[in-house]
Amino acid sequence: MTGRRALVRSGYPGAGSLGAVALEHKPDFADLLTLDTLDRDIFRGRCHEGAPMRAFGGQVAAQAQIAAGRTVDPDRRMHSLHGYFLRPGRTDAPIVYLVERLREGRSFTTRRVSAVQDGEVIFSMSASFQRPRDSDDSHRLRMPDVPGPDEQSQRWGPMLIAPDFPPFQLLDLRLVTSSAAPEDGMPRQYIWVRVDQPLTDDPLLHVCALTYLSDVTLSTTARRPHLRAGPGRLDLVSLDHAMWFHRPFRADDWLLFAQDSPTVGGTRGLSRGMFFTRDGELVASAMQEAGLLRH
């Protein structure tokens, strides 16, 4: 299948679904986001591991986006999402996505998605879609002056730790620079990111891929200054995630992910990020709050 239909299957197949096989071979990236259609506005998916035996939050959020997008007219583009991670998701059971149609406006459409596992909501998301419109009013932040992706050979840390983990094989992340303790007290990291295989032209697939990519590195920005502070291991638990999609882009082409963390306190850390094309165009922004737990 290609295009929009490639990410939704009809019917109610058995247990041999995406998540069970994703760790056994290198899948297509679109396989990570493919959902089964169970009924009108009801979908089912599976997720691979993030933390041990916990579903990867970026994949849960991206699948929720797919579910929402499949209930919206194709001429509307997702421009924002706001999600809350309520409970850890498991990798050994399917996740059901329930879509509520909150608004059908002339220009904007709004959906709410609840991701349910074992009868409990593990993730809740609101997403807004807009019919594309041209505007003469525009401004944007300039891209940081950093070396391009072709000048970087160092892959981002976790990609080196687990290079044989199949989902990681689908991504190419190149660390440009990072600073744990700059003068203004705000840790930063700059990473070139992309899905390392061609994607279809479906705009929804590209915004979902960017949400997936953002969750791989964003919260680690807040953790960087504190890795060696105090005894024990420092773990991250995603609490919420927000994305804004400003302009069209392709997630299978290089994007600079410029990240910083304004604050950590009360066991919570806030991270921000902006995505730029190689031409310097700001195409998306992200924010995430994560719990920093020391064991």
Side-chain angles (χ1 to χ4, degrees):
M1 295 181 288
T2 59
R4 295 182 68 86
R5 294 185 179 181
L7 299 176
V8 173
R9 291 190 293 256
S10 298
Y12 192 91
S17 189
L18 153 71
V21 301
L23 302 184
E24 298 173 7
H25 64 88
K26 181 177 178 178
D28 290 334
F29 183 83
D31 291 344
L32 301 178
L33 308 184
T34 300
L35 303 179
D36 302 319
T37 302
L38 305 186
D39 207 334
R40 183 180 186 268
D41 300 345
I42 304 176
F43 305 89
R44 185 184 68 173
R46 285 179 176 270
C47 289
H48 65 69
E49 212 172 273
M53 286 308 295
R54 289 184 178 182
F56 175 53
Q59 189 181 17
V60 176
Q63 288 187 354
Q65 287 176 267
I66 292 292
R70 294 309 177 233
T71 70
V72 174
D73 290 341
D75 69 336
R76 304 204 172 199
R77 303 286 184 261
M78 182 179 292
H79 70 86
S80 69
L81 69 88
H82 299 261
Y84 285 90
F85 297 96
L86 305 176
R87 297 176 177 85
R90 300 201 338 264
T91 62
D92 59 352
I95 299 172
V96 175
Y97 297 90
L98 309 177
V99 181
E100 298 177 67
R101 304 185 182 219
L102 300 184
R103 183 190 183 197
E104 300 284 358
R106 289 182 296 178
S107 297
F108 291 89
T109 297
T110 308
R111 296 290 185 262
R112 180 163 54 219
V113 184
S114 298
V116 179
Q117 191 173 55
D118 296 331
E120 294 186 317
V121 178
I122 64 170
F123 177 74
S124 177
M125 182 191 78
S126 296
S128 184
F129 300 75
Q130 181 187 22
R131 179 176 289 115
R133 298 182 62 181
D134 294 329
S135 172
D136 294 331
D137 301 320
S138 177
H139 74 268
R140 57 181 177 268
L141 182 70
R142 292 180 181 177
M143 183 175 74
D145 184 13
V146 300
D150 298 331
E151 302 174 57
Q152 307 302 316
S153 60
Q154 181 181 357
R155 300 189 76 197
W156 186 69
M159 302 297 153
L160 298 173
I161 296 171
D164 296 328
F165 187 47
F168 283 1
Q169 297 174 20
L170 305 178
L171 310 177
D172 197 349
L173 283 72
R174 304 291 179 90
L175 177 65
V176 180
T177 182
S178 63
S179 177
E183 291 183 2
D184 63 3
M186 189 159 60
R188 293 178 174 85
Q189 58 180 355
Y190 300 97
I191 302 175
W192 287 101
V193 302
R194 68 176 178 180
V195 176
D196 197 19
Q197 60 180 217
L199 301 178
T200 69
D201 293 335
D202 181 359
L204 181 62
L205 175 59
H206 289 269
V207 300
C208 294
L210 202 63
T211 299
Y212 183 103
L213 279 164
S214 70
D215 195 46
V216 175
T217 71
L218 187 55
S219 62
T220 65
T221 313
R223 181 177 64 176
R224 294 197 74 256
H226 310 284
L227 286 174
R228 297 179 181 177
R233 186 181 74 250
L234 185 63
D235 290 336
L236 295 173
V237 178
S238 297
L239 302 176
D240 57 27
H241 198 106
M243 297 282 296
W244 295 266
F245 307 103
H246 312 305
R247 297 170 181 87
F249 60 88
R250 292 193 65 90
D252 53 2
D253 198 1
W254 286 113
L255 297 167
L256 177 66
F257 194 14
Q259 305 161 65
D260 59 40
S261 176
T263 183
V264 166
T267 72
R268 302 188 318 277
L270 181 67
S271 299
R272 309 181 299 187
M274 289 170 286
F275 291 91
F276 299 85
T277 66
R278 280 197 279 190
D279 295 333
E281 189 171 46
L282 176 63
V283 295
S285 301
M287 294 192 74
Q288 185 179 71
E289 190 173 46
L292 280 68
L293 306 177
R294 194 172 293 280
H295 301 280

